[in-house]
Amino acid sequence: MELIINGKRQEVVANTVAALLAELEFEGDFFVVAVNRAVVQRRRWQDAEINDGDAVEILTPRQGG
Amino acid sequence: MKLYGQEIASRLLVGTALYPSPAVMEQAIRASGAEIVTVSLRREAGRGNAGNAFWSIVKGLDVRVLPNTAGCRSVQDAVTTAHMARELFDTPWIKLEVVGDDETLQPDVVALVEATQILARDGFEVFPYCTEDLTVVARLVDAGCRVVMPWASPIGSARGLMNPYLLKALRARFPEVTMIVDAGLGAPSHASQALEIGFDAVLLNTAIAKAEDPVAMARAFKLATEAGRLAYEAGAMAPRDFASPSTPIVGTPFWHAAVP
């Protein structure tokens, strides 16, 4: 299915947040994920389903002023 | 000073961006004595994971984190980013920025007030980056802000306090609100000036990070902030229009009132 991941269209096979992070080869777990602008808590990553067309934002801490 | 009930000794808050290297950032933050640093949230590409390398340095500094919503241009983007920051950093604090103009990076104060109202209802402790406009600050205080952060001048401009008159008026109008001058400071004297006129703290990034020697400049800002606060507590004398000699007149040598 096709998702919009961090603003770009991408084909994936994962259907949960946890599976998506694994498929995208994210290391560690210090991210925050929102699906269609709703935050998905870390403890829900295993169960949180993602569906065709969803917009997924995956953010990490960065330098800021 | 107290920030939403948290006792903070250092009156200097610093950013984590624009340093020549992560090592210099770490040394500069330590030299600044800051207990609070600002960080942002950005998209992570996956492989490589640059965010985690940065975060491991910040964690090692043993400071409080104030996440920002830098770059957000709408109420919706700022509110969503704040919620993501709270989930990631496990803090109710958010430095709320809503950009209203690309040239000056001036806050969109209308959107800022709206986003503040939403986030305050959602349980956030908002640090709004605002202008020195008194009525905007009144709205932010009405929305529940116990801290506000008016600009000195545009972000990264190094111009210092462009409008000390209005900043002083703002300080006097809301004595119970903690006020942090945020953005536009270039020299330690600017920080000192903000503290001297009664602001509780200053927040800056570029002035330290872009100095020739960021670590030395961080220490200079630390000392200036302390000096400014001490001067405020000491109570400066009022300016005068004419000279007033400091050396006693009585006993001045070779002086005669009138020679008969």
Side-chain angles (χ1 to χ4, degrees), chain A residues 5-8 23-34 37-43 45 57-65, chain B residues 15-17 38-52 54-55 68 76-77 80 83-84 87-89 95 97 203 205:
Chain A
I5 301 169
N6 285 344
K8 289 183 185 162
E23 186 176 336
L24 297 174
E25 299 183 32
F26 276 80
E27 296 161 18
D29 66 351
F30 206 68
F31 319 109
V32 57
V33 180
R37 289 185 169 268
V39 173
V40 181
Q41 292 175 324
R42 189 177 287 115
R43 60 186 166 77
W45 284 358
E57 291 282 327
I58 307 167
L59 309 182
T60 53
R62 284 293 165 82
Q63 294 83 348
Chain B
T16 55
T38 51
V39 297
S40 70
L41 286 175
R42 287 293 178 263
R43 285 170 164 170
E44 179 59 68
R47 262 168 275 181
N49 220 343
N52 275 1
F54 165 69
W55 181 242
N68 71 28
Q76 189 186 29
D77 286 356
T80 304
H83 277 272
M84 295 182 81
E87 167 68 10
L88 188 61
F89 298 108
K95 172 177 165 176
E97 295 181 59
L203 195 170
N205 189 153

Side-chain angles (χ1 to χ4, degrees), chain B residues 14-64:
Chain B
V14 297
T16 55
L18 301 173
Y19 294 88
S21 72
V24 171
M25 176 194 81
E26 184 179 357
Q27 291 167 41
I29 291 171
R30 288 191 196 283
S32 76
E35 293 167 55
I36 298 167
V37 300
T38 51
V39 297
S40 70
L41 286 175
R42 287 293 178 263
R43 285 170 164 170
E44 179 59 68
R47 262 168 275 181
N49 220 343
N52 275 1
F54 165 69
W55 181 242
S56 67
I57 295 171
V58 174
K59 267 197 304 188
L61 289 166
D62 193 28
V63 290
R64 286 174 195 271

Side-chain angles (χ1 to χ4, degrees), chain B residues 12 28 35 41 51 54 73 75 81 83 88-89 99 130 145 159 191 196 217 220 224 246-248:
Chain B
L12 175 59
E35 293 167 55
L41 286 175
F54 165 69
R73 286 173 160 70
V75 172
T81 303
H83 277 272
L88 188 61
F89 298 108
V99 177
C130 56
C145 290
R159 290 181 174 274
E196 284 168 32
M217 189 58 83
S246 46
T247 303

Side-chain angles (χ1 to χ4, degrees), chain B residues 157-171:
Chain B
S157 70
R159 290 181 174 274
L161 277 60
M162 292 291 280
N163 205 334
Y165 166 74
L166 280 183
L167 285 169
K168 275 185 205 172
L170 186 66
R171 173 68 286 184

Side-chain angles (χ1 to χ4, degrees), chain B residues 22 42 59 70 77 118 126 132 142 160 164 168 177 202 245 247 254:
Chain B
R42 287 293 178 263
K59 267 197 304 188
D77 286 356
I118 293 166
V126 181
E132 69 279 72
D142 284 347
K168 275 185 205 172
V177 176
V202 289
T247 303
F254 314 116

